[in-house]
Amino acid sequence: MKVISKISELKNQIGEWKAEKFSIGFCPTMGSLHAGHMDLVEASKKETDKTIVSIFVNPTQFNDPKDFHQYPVNTESDLMLCESKGVDLVFLPEVTTMYPETKTPIQLSIPALQNNLCGRTRPGHFEGVLQIVSKLFHLTEPNKTFFGLKDYQQFRVISAMVENLNFPLEVIGVPTRREEDGLAMSSRNVRLSSKERETASLIPRMFALAKKTIHSGERDTNLWKEILRDFLLTGVSLRIDYLEVVDPIGLEPKDKLEGEVLLAIAVFVGDVRLIDNQIIQIPN
């Protein structure tokens, strides 16, 4: 496995692979890797010849500087995990490499998809995501790129950017890997205390309650959300950022429970922000 931090070295390696007609899969990450990230790697290895993982905690997507500085960094164990899973190359750049002071920053934005959910409560977040992901796409030149569906809004926003800007690649969503109790795997989970971790288990239990009430006949969106909100707030240290029912494609709010809906939430457990979502099919 190669570990590269310089853009020139990365471009040389990409050029060699392209000359040999190898297809490239790309898994962008912010490190602190877990089994969910390795699902992306496994998907890439099945569908492409060479797999690249980037590890970069991107400062421009954090609207809270405290959250950026508290983000867990475990580079040594990340590299060991990548090597054990057969990753071909890890791109590990410095902040000054990705954001040199001589460059004038630009912003990309897709308001129709990013102004709701996380975009509403984290201003500037998706502009930062699109900025770094577009840079990484240009540098790695992948044929396919892989994103976890836990960050469903991110998946939709990046898919729209690729489609609108004609990036020559395919964006593939990988299902969420979950803990034994159903909590979505996240690099932030390690910051939870034992009591907070217990409280966080309310999230998967809420999704189970959501499906149960739907199958018992509930079709009032506002009442459904109120039932789920009240259940979550039984957690003493839990604070709801948002709980929304939206269309899975356009991410617009759904006034009626019909067809497919995306139930999306973000909560704070203590000072740790967790997100999750599930697409639910509403029976006729």
Short mmCIF file of all heavy atoms in Angstrom, two decimals, residues 54-80:
data_model
loop_
_atom_site.label_atom_id
_atom_site.label_comp_id
_atom_site.label_asym_id
_atom_site.label_seq_id
_atom_site.Cartn_x
_atom_site.Cartn_y
_atom_site.Cartn_z
N SER A 54 -8.83 8.50 0.76
CA SER A 54 -8.23 9.75 1.25
C SER A 54 -8.59 9.92 2.72
O SER A 54 -9.70 9.56 3.15
CB SER A 54 -8.73 10.95 0.44
OG SER A 54 -10.12 11.15 0.62
N ILE A 55 -7.65 10.43 3.49
CA ILE A 55 -7.87 10.74 4.90
C ILE A 55 -7.54 12.21 5.09
O ILE A 55 -6.37 12.62 5.00
CB ILE A 55 -6.99 9.87 5.83
CG1 ILE A 55 -7.34 8.39 5.66
CG2 ILE A 55 -7.16 10.30 7.28
CD1 ILE A 55 -6.44 7.45 6.45
N PHE A 56 -8.57 13.01 5.30
CA PHE A 56 -8.37 14.46 5.42
C PHE A 56 -9.53 15.05 6.20
O PHE A 56 -10.68 14.97 5.77
CB PHE A 56 -8.30 15.10 4.03
CG PHE A 56 -8.08 16.59 4.07
CD1 PHE A 56 -6.87 17.12 4.50
CD2 PHE A 56 -9.08 17.46 3.66
CE1 PHE A 56 -6.67 18.50 4.54
CE2 PHE A 56 -8.89 18.83 3.69
CZ PHE A 56 -7.68 19.36 4.13
N VAL A 57 -9.23 15.61 7.37
CA VAL A 57 -10.26 16.29 8.16
C VAL A 57 -10.39 17.70 7.59
O VAL A 57 -9.53 18.55 7.80
CB VAL A 57 -9.89 16.33 9.66
CG1 VAL A 57 -11.02 16.98 10.46
CG2 VAL A 57 -9.63 14.91 10.18
N ASN A 58 -11.46 17.90 6.86
CA ASN A 58 -11.61 19.12 6.06
C ASN A 58 -12.14 20.29 6.89
O ASN A 58 -13.31 20.28 7.30
CB ASN A 58 -12.58 18.82 4.89
CG ASN A 58 -12.87 20.05 4.07
OD1 ASN A 58 -11.99 20.85 3.82
ND2 ASN A 58 -14.11 20.20 3.66
N PRO A 59 -11.33 21.31 7.12
CA PRO A 59 -11.77 22.40 8.00
C PRO A 59 -12.92 23.23 7.44
O PRO A 59 -13.69 23.82 8.21
CB PRO A 59 -10.51 23.26 8.16
CG PRO A 59 -9.67 22.94 6.95
CD PRO A 59 -9.96 21.52 6.62
N THR A 60 -13.08 23.28 6.12
CA THR A 60 -14.08 24.18 5.55
C THR A 60 -15.52 23.69 5.71
O THR A 60 -16.45 24.43 5.43
CB THR A 60 -13.81 24.45 4.07
OG1 THR A 60 -14.01 23.25 3.32
CG2 THR A 60 -12.39 24.96 3.85
N GLN A 61 -15.70 22.43 6.15
CA GLN A 61 -17.07 21.94 6.30
C GLN A 61 -17.55 21.95 7.75
O GLN A 61 -18.65 21.49 8.04
CB GLN A 61 -17.21 20.53 5.71
CG GLN A 61 -16.48 19.43 6.45
CD GLN A 61 -16.50 18.12 5.70
OE1 GLN A 61 -15.88 17.98 4.64
NE2 GLN A 61 -17.22 17.14 6.22
N PHE A 62 -16.73 22.49 8.65
CA PHE A 62 -17.12 22.61 10.05
C PHE A 62 -17.55 24.04 10.33
O PHE A 62 -16.75 24.97 10.25
CB PHE A 62 -15.95 22.24 10.98
CG PHE A 62 -15.61 20.78 11.00
CD1 PHE A 62 -14.79 20.23 10.03
CD2 PHE A 62 -16.09 19.96 12.00
CE1 PHE A 62 -14.46 18.88 10.05
CE2 PHE A 62 -15.78 18.61 12.03
CZ PHE A 62 -14.95 18.07 11.06
N ASN A 63 -18.83 24.22 10.65
CA ASN A 63 -19.28 25.56 11.00
C ASN A 63 -18.97 25.88 12.46
O ASN A 63 -19.05 27.04 12.88
CB ASN A 63 -20.78 25.73 10.73
CG ASN A 63 -21.63 24.75 11.52
OD1 ASN A 63 -21.32 23.56 11.59
ND2 ASN A 63 -22.71 25.25 12.11
N ASP A 64 -18.59 24.86 13.24
CA ASP A 64 -18.22 25.04 14.64
C ASP A 64 -16.74 24.66 14.79
O ASP A 64 -16.39 23.48 14.72
CB ASP A 64 -19.09 24.16 15.54
CG ASP A 64 -18.78 24.32 17.02
OD1 ASP A 64 -17.80 25.04 17.35
OD2 ASP A 64 -19.51 23.75 17.86
N PRO A 65 -15.85 25.65 15.00
CA PRO A 65 -14.41 25.35 15.14
C PRO A 65 -14.11 24.33 16.24
O PRO A 65 -13.19 23.54 16.13
CB PRO A 65 -13.79 26.71 15.45
CG PRO A 65 -14.76 27.71 14.92
CD PRO A 65 -16.12 27.09 15.11
N LYS A 66 -14.91 24.34 17.31
CA LYS A 66 -14.71 23.40 18.41
C LYS A 66 -14.90 21.98 17.92
O LYS A 66 -14.14 21.07 18.29
CB LYS A 66 -15.69 23.71 19.55
CG LYS A 66 -15.58 22.78 20.74
CD LYS A 66 -16.62 23.13 21.80
CE LYS A 66 -16.58 22.16 22.96
NZ LYS A 66 -17.64 22.44 23.98
N ASP A 67 -15.91 21.76 17.07
CA ASP A 67 -16.18 20.43 16.53
C ASP A 67 -15.01 19.96 15.67
O ASP A 67 -14.62 18.79 15.70
CB ASP A 67 -17.47 20.46 15.71
CG ASP A 67 -18.01 19.07 15.39
OD1 ASP A 67 -17.65 18.12 16.11
OD2 ASP A 67 -18.79 18.94 14.44
N PHE A 68 -14.44 20.87 14.91
CA PHE A 68 -13.28 20.53 14.07
C PHE A 68 -12.10 20.07 14.93
O PHE A 68 -11.47 19.04 14.65
CB PHE A 68 -12.89 21.73 13.21
CG PHE A 68 -11.57 21.58 12.50
CD1 PHE A 68 -11.42 20.62 11.50
CD2 PHE A 68 -10.48 22.37 12.83
CE1 PHE A 68 -10.20 20.47 10.83
CE2 PHE A 68 -9.27 22.22 12.17
CZ PHE A 68 -9.12 21.28 11.18
N HIS A 69 -11.80 20.82 15.97
CA HIS A 69 -10.64 20.50 16.80
C HIS A 69 -10.86 19.24 17.64
O HIS A 69 -9.89 18.59 18.05
CB HIS A 69 -10.28 21.69 17.69
CG HIS A 69 -9.76 22.88 16.93
ND1 HIS A 69 -8.58 22.82 16.21
CD2 HIS A 69 -10.25 24.13 16.75
CE1 HIS A 69 -8.36 24.00 15.63
NE2 HIS A 69 -9.36 24.80 15.94
N GLN A 70 -12.13 18.89 17.88
CA GLN A 70 -12.41 17.69 18.67
C GLN A 70 -12.57 16.45 17.81
O GLN A 70 -12.68 15.34 18.34
CB GLN A 70 -13.70 17.89 19.49
CG GLN A 70 -13.56 18.86 20.65
CD GLN A 70 -14.85 18.98 21.46
OE1 GLN A 70 -15.94 18.70 20.96
NE2 GLN A 70 -14.72 19.41 22.70
N TYR A 71 -12.54 16.60 16.48
CA TYR A 71 -12.76 15.45 15.62
C TYR A 71 -11.63 14.45 15.84
O TYR A 71 -10.45 14.81 15.80
CB TYR A 71 -12.82 15.87 14.15
CG TYR A 71 -13.46 14.82 13.28
CD1 TYR A 71 -14.83 14.78 13.12
CD2 TYR A 71 -12.69 13.83 12.66
CE1 TYR A 71 -15.43 13.80 12.33
CE2 TYR A 71 -13.28 12.85 11.88
CZ TYR A 71 -14.65 12.84 11.73
OH TYR A 71 -15.25 11.87 10.97
N PRO A 72 -11.96 13.16 16.07
CA PRO A 72 -10.93 12.18 16.41
C PRO A 72 -9.96 11.91 15.25
O PRO A 72 -10.37 11.80 14.10
CB PRO A 72 -11.73 10.92 16.77
CG PRO A 72 -13.04 11.10 16.08
CD PRO A 72 -13.32 12.56 16.08
N VAL A 73 -8.68 11.84 15.59
CA VAL A 73 -7.64 11.55 14.61
C VAL A 73 -6.86 10.32 15.08
O VAL A 73 -6.30 10.33 16.18
CB VAL A 73 -6.68 12.75 14.43
CG1 VAL A 73 -5.55 12.40 13.46
CG2 VAL A 73 -7.45 13.97 13.92
N ASN A 74 -6.84 9.28 14.23
CA ASN A 74 -6.14 8.02 14.56
C ASN A 74 -5.40 7.53 13.33
O ASN A 74 -5.66 6.43 12.83
CB ASN A 74 -7.15 6.96 15.03
CG ASN A 74 -7.96 7.42 16.23
OD1 ASN A 74 -7.45 7.56 17.31
ND2 ASN A 74 -9.25 7.64 16.00
N THR A 75 -4.46 8.34 12.85
CA THR A 75 -3.84 8.07 11.55
C THR A 75 -3.14 6.72 11.51
O THR A 75 -3.28 5.97 10.53
CB THR A 75 -2.85 9.19 11.21
OG1 THR A 75 -3.54 10.45 11.25
CG2 THR A 75 -2.29 8.99 9.81
N GLU A 76 -2.38 6.39 12.54
CA GLU A 76 -1.61 5.14 12.51
C GLU A 76 -2.52 3.92 12.40
O GLU A 76 -2.30 3.03 11.56
CB GLU A 76 -0.75 5.03 13.77
CG GLU A 76 0.17 3.82 13.76
CD GLU A 76 1.11 3.78 14.95
OE1 GLU A 76 1.24 4.80 15.65
OE2 GLU A 76 1.70 2.70 15.18
N SER A 77 -3.57 3.88 13.22
CA SER A 77 -4.49 2.74 13.15
C SER A 77 -5.29 2.76 11.85
O SER A 77 -5.63 1.69 11.30
CB SER A 77 -5.43 2.74 14.35
OG SER A 77 -6.22 3.91 14.40
N ASP A 78 -5.61 3.96 11.32
CA ASP A 78 -6.30 4.05 10.03
C ASP A 78 -5.48 3.41 8.92
O ASP A 78 -6.01 2.66 8.09
CB ASP A 78 -6.57 5.52 9.67
CG ASP A 78 -7.65 6.15 10.54
OD1 ASP A 78 -8.35 5.41 11.24
OD2 ASP A 78 -7.78 7.39 10.49
N LEU A 79 -4.19 3.71 8.90
CA LEU A 79 -3.33 3.16 7.85
C LEU A 79 -3.20 1.65 7.97
O LEU A 79 -3.21 0.93 6.95
CB LEU A 79 -1.95 3.82 7.91
CG LEU A 79 -1.91 5.31 7.56
CD1 LEU A 79 -0.51 5.87 7.74
CD2 LEU A 79 -2.39 5.55 6.13
N MET A 80 -3.11 1.16 9.20
CA MET A 80 -3.04 -0.29 9.40
C MET A 80 -4.31 -0.98 8.91
O MET A 80 -4.26 -2.03 8.28
CB MET A 80 -2.80 -0.59 10.88
CG MET A 80 -1.43 -0.18 11.39
SD MET A 80 -1.25 -0.44 13.17
CE MET A 80 -1.45 -2.22 13.28
#
